[in-house]
Amino acid sequence: EAVSGAQLIAQALRAQNIEYMFGIVGIPVTEIAIAAQAVGIKYVGMRNEQAACYAASAVGYLTGRPGVCLVVSGPGFLHALGGMANATINCWPLIVIGGSSDRNQETMGAFQEFPQVEAGRLYNKLSVRPSSLEVIPAVIEKAVRTSMYGRPGSCYIDIPGDFVNLQVNKSSVKYVECCLPPPISTAEHAAVSKAASVIALSKQPLLIIGKGAAYSRAENNIRKLVELCGLPFLPTPMAKGVVPDNHPNCVAAARSTALQHADVIILLGARLNWILHFGLPPRYQQDVKVIQIDICAEELGNNVMPAATLLGDINAVTQQLLEEFNNRSWKYPSNSEWWKKLRGKIKNNEERSKALALQKSLPMNYYTVFHHIRELIPKDCILVSEGANTMDIGRTMIPNFYPRQRLDAGTFGTMGVGLGFAIAAAMVARDRTPGRRVVCIEGDSAFGFSGMELETICRYNLPILIIVVNNNGIYTGLDANSWEEMLKFGDPATCVPPVSLLPNAHYEKIMSAFGGKGYFVKTPEELQNALKASVTDKQTPSLINVVIDPQSERKKQEFPWLTRSNL
């Protein structure tokens, strides 16, 4: 019995329990998508390969098993590189399958010919081309396994165009079973004991929870550790909700103070990169003791010499620490000077945000908008957030109560991820947690990167709520009058600020063009009404275009986004 290359690829993906495929079909990969649907894989046709690849990578983070991105040769492959890099830098599992030119035309200047396997090596843990149809299942198993084992990341499989419709006898194919779940490693006992001793001697401890902890599904053990030891904790942006943001031990509202004055820091699946200011002074104490818990040995010791290194799965190592502290019965006192300092700072910061949120002036500022969003969106929704001010202020204003329910620009600071992430989250939610909503909060500039994915959202009838926080620009914009004045000076290409976008852009009309619901709002009342209507309608995709003050910025004591080195 004969089987085609396309069928072999689809069957092998199914055998590895792959559920979702995102992509844009064309020569030579269309038959692969058709074969995938035939074996029960869900195929979502996107409008740009970048968004397709972001979507597939989000599936990997949300489910722990990679999604697949399917792209055509040459330009299609190249447009997916952004998603591969984003997945690898965020440590999310992903499989990209790219068509390439027929083997017998290599070096001849074939249609869309490009050295894809070599190009893929920079962005992926594995970049391979099967040498024959017979080995396709084995290569796919290796790619899926490699994407998940150790520190997760992206893997690329190159499929020559002539493989897709080529037939081979089933009896000669090397079929393989589904790879085993990733093995779970624990830290050496001496390191666990050393870490516990350092923590027990701390005067100003701080636990930092990273998205590696969210990925390893360590929420129950981490919450137990926080409560058993009475530790203050700080989530990194995508780790919000591993322990709920409203937990009394959360010190996110005193982030700078907590980092600057902690004498012992426990890193749970978080890296000392730009997001955490590298662990260096002046943002940290010169002699801060760092306890590093990570799945990747090469990460240990980056930027700061650790006091203890615990190599292993975050959930398993947290369990080891719990057992160690159960034996020691040590708890950090809740009436310490450190707690008083942190609570004072939290109160002060929350009052400042609240004062900004209650400003009655129009156009609205970011804080007012986020105040109303927070009041009206479902507590268990999956939040997708991107933009400059929109993402930064949204992170502080909108709480997360559940793990893996915040997706944002991530470690790579990627703009354009929002709609792809939202589509992936909505597909996964539909299958695993029916009724759970996806709310996607975008800056107007960030929305522009993948705005046409609104058509995809409407085509698959995904009831996503998109909120565009519209300040007519990147960081800041111009109001309509200033814009008109600017144009009097001549050609906009020479006189309009590079950060400006068109004032009063009606993004909501793009949503209504495809059959979703669009709302244009300028006041708190209009915003509340649009939010209530969108949340109540659980069937229809909707977009709320919220016009805010083009000059609205973050609280004054914080650094504006442009001085990113200070963030």
Side-chain angles (χ1 to χ4, degrees), residues 430 455-464 515 538-541:
R430 180 179 276 181
E455 187 273 330
T456 312
I457 289 169
C458 292
R459 185 168 12 114
Y460 293 97
N461 201 28
L462 301 170
I464 297 165
K538 295 177 171 55
Q539 260 51 72
T540 320

Side-chain angles (χ1 to χ4, degrees), residues 40 57 80 106 131 151 214 301 303 321 329 363 367 413 531 564:
S57 70
E106 266 177 32
S131 55
R151 174 187 265 179
N303 300 327
L321 282 169
S329 70
Y367 293 87
L531 282 165
R564 232 175 255 181

Side-chain angles (χ1 to χ4, degrees), residues 166-435:
L166 198 62
Q167 306 246 325
V168 63
N169 199 313
K170 264 189 175 172
S171 59
S172 63
V173 175
K174 187 181 166 192
Y175 285 104
V176 289
E177 288 177 37
C178 185
C179 64
L180 296 169
I184 292 171
S185 53
T186 52
E188 52 197 323
H189 184 73
V192 176
S193 164
K194 169 90 191 290
S197 300
V198 172
I199 295 166
L201 290 170
S202 65
K203 299 274 184 291
Q204 304 191 152
L206 177 66
L207 182 66
I208 298 180
I209 304 170
K211 66 175 170 296
Y215 181 82
S216 82
R217 292 173 156 60
E219 51 268 16
N220 294 341
N221 278 334
I222 291 175
R223 187 170 186 158
K224 282 181 197 159
L225 184 70
V226 164
E227 289 169 359
L228 178 70
C229 297
L231 296 168
F233 75 88
L234 176 70
T236 63
M238 269 196 265
K240 278 162 59 72
V242 169
V243 183
D245 281 341
N246 61 352
H247 191 283
N249 289 38
C250 179
V251 296
R255 183 179 190 266
S256 300
T257 304
L259 296 177
Q260 200 158 17
H261 298 285
D263 64 349
V264 170
I265 286 178
I266 305 114
L267 288 174
L268 275 170
R271 294 173 279 185
L272 289 178
N273 55 23
W274 67 276
I275 292 178
L276 289 174
H277 319 291
F278 313 107
L280 298 172
R283 306 301 296 256
Y284 290 77
Q285 293 293 308
Q286 183 74 52
D287 54 357
V288 63
K289 291 189 168 69
V290 173
I291 292 160
Q292 218 174 346
I293 306 167
D294 206 284
I295 197 163
C296 174
E298 288 83 351
E299 188 59 43
L300 302 171
N302 275 345
N303 300 327
V304 174
M305 173 80 78
T309 55
L310 285 70
L311 175 64
D313 173 78
I314 304 294
N315 190 35
V317 176
T318 306
Q319 177 75 39
Q320 289 179 283
L321 282 169
L322 271 175
E323 286 161 12
E324 184 73 26
F325 279 113
N326 271 323
N327 296 337
R328 290 184 184 228
S329 70
W330 171 84
K331 186 163 189 175
Y332 183 70
S334 59
N335 59 355
S336 66
E337 285 304 310
W338 179 226
W339 264 122
K340 282 183 195 140
K341 183 175 196 163
L342 291 169
R343 289 194 189 109
K345 196 72 190 160
I346 288 169
K347 191 163 184 281
N348 183 14
N349 283 345
E350 284 177 348
E351 281 168 3
R352 292 173 74 166
S353 292
K354 195 170 181 184
L356 286 162
L358 297 175
Q359 281 181 4
K360 288 282 185 277
S361 57
L362 290 176
M364 293 181 281
N365 68 36
Y366 283 104
Y367 293 87
T368 309
V369 170
F370 283 122
H371 169 74
H372 293 297
I373 293 173
R374 179 176 66 202
E375 298 299 304
L376 291 170
I377 59 173
K379 291 277 176 281
D380 67 344
C381 72
I382 299 170
L383 272 170
V384 180
S385 177
E386 65 168 339
N389 296 321
T390 300
M391 185 171 74
D392 288 346
I393 300 168
R395 182 175 65 243
T396 61
M397 292 281 296
I398 300 195
N400 286 81
F401 303 104
Y402 301 94
R404 295 170 298 283
Q405 288 189 200
R406 178 186 164 84
L407 296 163
D408 67 20
T411 308
F412 208 28
T414 310
M415 290 297 128
V417 292
L419 282 94
F421 282 2
I423 289 166
M427 291 295 295
V428 171
R430 180 179 276 181
D431 291 343
R432 301 189 174 211
T433 47

Side-chain angles (χ1 to χ4, degrees), residues 12-33:
L13 291 170
R14 195 77 204 107
Q16 299 304 320
N17 288 333
I18 298 298
E19 294 179 69
Y20 304 95
M21 181 183 278
F22 303 83
I24 299 180
V25 295
I27 296 168
V29 301
T30 308
E31 291 85 350
I32 297 174

Side-chain angles (χ1 to χ4, degrees), residues 100-122:
S100 57
S101 31
D102 291 7
R103 288 170 304 166
N104 63 356
Q105 296 172 356
E106 266 177 32
T107 75
M108 293 172 67
F111 175 66
Q112 298 184 335
E113 185 177 344
F114 193 77
Q116 293 172 194
V117 176
E118 295 91 312
R121 287 208 177 98
L122 265 178

